[in-house]
Amino acid sequence: MTLLIAPSLLSCDFAKLGEEARLMERAGADMLHLDVMDGHFVENLTFGPPVIRALKAATALPLDAHLMVTNADHCVDWYLDAGADYVTVHVEACRHLDRVLNHIRERGAKAGIALNPATPLDFAEEVLELVDLILVMSVNPGFGGQHFIERSTERIAELDEMCRFAGVEPLISVDGGINEQTTPEVVAAGATCLVAGNAIFGADDPAGALEAIKAAGAAAQLEREEELAGDFDAFDPEALDAGDLLER
Ligand code: DX5
Ligand code: ZN
């Protein structure tokens, strides 16, 4: 799967949102990550549907609305109406997750789930067939510019394995503390979409920073693909005897 990069506008200049979005488009972004915060699910407050609607008109990039809100069960339609292509809800916030995900897809959009760093991955396992994107939070949500939580890499690898086993291929997105240094390990573990805010908009040259993360990710993905192909070539079914098969 081609590696995607989704700049988070959380760290951009809110006085020129449209320009920042177009700058990312020109720089080679694949999607825009929009952090909706309600002051309840997380302490912070950002923006809601009207801003998403305005951004939809300002850029051709797909929009992923990352809903850090407590009322996602009742309000996903607002974001779908505003033009979000992906609507990503927190599993910790949805009382009726199965219903919400089905609803997003029935409306013709892509359904995503987000998992906080301390949330068991089993929450994802129960709805794997219903999701197009799994957002692994690699910081506790609420603010940009935090440090990457190391354990996230292992969680990405576990999710990747879970998806392979189930025969599904949602995007595995990672959000929080992603930069040129943390990118290789998350991509090696199986991340297919990188969300980055501070590393891009905090840089003197945001477009250059995006390109650097993308290049680091592409190199790591190539290495991973070669390793996976190597594992496959090394596998010789004829070398297995019946005992081996039973053990597997
Ligand atoms: C945090 C948000 C992130 C945030 C990531 O709650 O969900 O999308 O923008 O920012 P950085 O890349 O600065 O850690
Ligand atoms: Zn986010």
Side-chain angles (χ1 to χ4, degrees), residues 115-190:
L115 293 105
N116 281 339
T119 300
L121 299 180
D122 303 7
F123 278 81
E125 194 163 16
E126 294 302 325
V127 291
L128 273 191
E129 309 281 337
L130 301 177
V131 296
D132 303 290
L133 179 152
I134 303 175
L135 187 67
V136 178
M137 290 309 303
S138 40
V139 296
N140 288 292
F143 301 95
Q146 303 182 74
H147 285 293
F148 179 81
I149 297 174
E150 282 300 330
R151 159 98 175 104
S152 315
T153 306
E154 217 172 303
R155 283 164 63 79
I156 292 167
E158 283 171 35
L159 265 174
D160 173 62
E161 203 178 312
M162 193 189 281
C163 290
R164 283 163 186 274
F165 188 71
V168 292
E169 223 182 350
L171 286 173
I172 299 183
S173 191
V174 54
D175 185 7
I178 294 300
N179 53 39
E180 223 183 311
Q181 287 69 44
T182 49
T183 285
E185 63 174 283
V186 297
V187 173

Side-chain angles (χ1 to χ4, degrees), residues 33-51:
H33 181 88
L34 306 177
D35 289 300
V36 178
M37 303 186 186
D38 68 351
H40 293 278
F41 183 71
V42 292
E43 298 91 321
N44 208 355
L45 272 169
T46 54
F47 50 77
V51 171

Side-chain angles (χ1 to χ4, degrees), residues 81-96:
D81 292 343
D85 301 274
Y86 284 77
V87 176
T88 297
V89 297
H90 267 267
V91 299
E92 305 86 0
C94 283
R95 193 165 286 181
H96 302 293

